[in-house]
Amino acid sequence: MTNCSTEDVDTLTQKLDLVIYVPVLVFGLALNIAALVVFCRLLRKWTESSIYMTNLALMDLLLLLQLPFKIHAAHHKWEEDKVFFCSFLESLYFVAMYGSIYTIACIAIDRYVAINHPFRAKQVRSKKNALIVCVLIWVFVMAATSPIYTFRGKVNGNFTCFHGFSENGWSTAIIVCLEVFGFLLPAAILVVCSIQSIRTLKASKSSNPKRQAGVRIIYSSLAAFLVPFTPCHIAIFLQYLVRNKIIADCRHQKNIALFIQVSMNIANVTCCLDALCYYFIAKEVRSTKDTLKMSISRARTTSTSDA
């Protein structure tokens, strides 16, 4: 990196952190805890969808618990002996973020199978399989984020946690894996599954209001994923170009530094958006069950007529 100073950007984002993080922390904790209470205590029985949504709420809570440390780190430098603890918090932050991304992608796959492949859904969809998938998500994201413990290298003196990764953290291999497997792949899965589910629902001859509401909810879920997560991954790629001296202009570097901070703040807002979507996803699940029944009935009718 050049000697371009971004202290003015850091000062601005310190104020922005408080404006965004404090409401997100308060409302996010309340909404996600309430969601867990509903899923674990009030629902009559577990379903595949409630298991995925519980996993998403746990991921969001894990991310929310890192926000107080991020606020503190934005205003105070940490002592050298807290490097490992800082790396541990950073690892949990990215476990929660990418665990949420993969959980949302799995919800889209589960919805796609239920709507578009009703016969196979009875064989593939089960509470046991949903639980196994959630466990695998935790194992995968924890293993994938383990290199974070090497991103700081040797620290001399006080440092700023959640900022200032060493060059190891901005290597081409790390960024390519992050962008492709952390965002582009799950985003592609979500988009394809959502489009196919919407087409099936729209192609239905029934004018059931629940089905039309399901289409709107899928659109909303798609927007709630792409709007917050797309800017932050664009910003990460741009910061990679800065750290590898491909973008050398100081003004551009300052703009990118501001962009990455703002976009990461926006990405954290999904903790609240996810909690607000739980109710609507639950409604969609009920309408999806109706679609599943009608799809099976239609397939059986077609099979009988062909015979």
Side-chain angles (χ1 to χ4, degrees):
M1 261 190 77
T2 63
N3 293 324
C4 181
S5 175
T6 58
E7 290 184 2
D8 51 342
V9 174
D10 295 337
T11 301
L12 176 60
T13 54
Q14 285 176 359
K15 300 177 182 178
L16 185 64
D17 287 346
L18 292 175
V19 172
I20 295 180
Y21 284 166
V22 172
V24 168
L25 182 62
V26 173
F27 290 106
L29 285 174
L31 291 170
N32 282 281
I33 290 174
L36 286 177
V37 171
V38 171
F39 295 146
C40 299
R41 299 295 299 274
L42 301 182
L43 288 182
R44 294 181 180 179
K45 63 178 182 178
W46 285 91
T47 65
E48 296 85 1
S49 298
S50 63
I51 290 173
Y52 285 124
M53 289 188 287
T54 298
N55 194 62
L56 183 58
L58 290 174
M59 291 291 185
D60 287 340
L61 279 175
L62 180 60
L63 190 146
L64 287 166
L65 293 176
Q66 312 311 310
L67 296 188
F69 297 102
K70 285 178 65 69
I71 294 173
H72 183 274
H75 294 82
H76 303 86
K77 287 186 177 294
W78 289 18
E79 296 178 358
E80 185 178 341
D81 59 356
K82 292 184 173 60
V83 172
F84 180 81
F85 180 60
C86 170
S87 296
F88 174 69
L89 294 175
E90 291 168 339
S91 176
L92 292 182
Y93 178 81
F94 287 105
V95 163
M97 174 178 288
Y98 291 101
S100 297
I101 288 176
Y102 268 87
T103 301
I104 293 170
C106 287
I107 291 174
I109 295 173
D110 181 70
R111 177 172 54 210
Y112 165 79
V113 172
I115 294 175
N116 293 273
H117 302 282
F119 285 123
R120 185 174 297 178
K122 285 186 169 294
Q123 301 173 350
V124 176
R125 298 179 77 241
S126 70
K127 291 176 283 188
K128 179 181 178 181
N129 288 343
L131 185 60
I132 291 174
V133 169
C134 290
V135 172
L136 290 177
I137 290 174
W138 281 93
V139 172
F140 172 72
V141 293
M142 290 179 70
T145 56
S146 59
I148 288 177
Y149 290 92
T150 66
F151 284 179
R152 294 206 166 271
K154 187 176 181 180
V155 175
N156 295 316
N158 295 345
F159 67 100
T160 302
C161 191
F162 293 100
H163 294 278
F165 286 150
S166 68
E167 298 306 318
N168 293 337
W170 295 99
S171 67
T172 301
I174 291 292
I175 298 303
V176 168
C177 289
L178 179 70
E179 296 286 350
V180 173
F181 297 105
F183 176 68
L184 292 177
L185 179 60
I189 292 172
L190 177 65
V191 170
V192 171
C193 290
S194 297
I195 291 175
Q196 292 298 322
S197 298
I198 290 171
R199 284 179 176 176
T200 300
L201 291 174
K202 285 187 173 182
S204 174
K205 296 179 181 180
S206 172
S207 59
N208 190 334
K210 290 183 178 180
R211 193 159 303 150
Q212 302 307 316
V215 172
R216 292 193 295 270
I217 292 167
I218 295 175
Y219 276 127
S220 300
S221 300
L222 194 58
F225 178 92
L226 295 177
V227 171
F229 288 124
T230 301
C232 71
H233 285 88
I234 293 175
I236 289 172
F237 176 71
L238 292 175
Q239 185 66 7
Y240 159 78
L241 298 180
V242 171
R243 295 298 293 261
N244 285 272
K245 301 179 181 179
I246 297 174
I247 296 179
D249 182 79
C250 185
R251 182 171 60 87
H252 292 333
Q253 290 185 11
K254 288 185 176 182
N255 290 336
I256 292 171
L258 178 60
F259 179 39
I260 194 170
Q261 293 298 324
V262 172
S263 62
M264 292 299 290
N265 287 345
I266 293 174
N268 293 329
V269 177
T270 55
C271 294
C272 294
L273 296 179
D274 289 341
L276 292 174
C277 286
Y278 294 144
Y279 170 74
F280 299 105
I281 292 175
K283 288 181 63 177
E284 180 200 349
V285 169
R286 289 194 291 270
S287 64
T288 298
K289 288 180 179 178
D290 295 337
T291 303
L292 178 59
K293 292 177 182 178
M294 291 197 65
S295 297
I296 293 175
S297 177
R298 186 169 58 250
R300 286 174 176 171
T301 302
T302 302
S303 177
T304 302
S305 62
D306 290 342

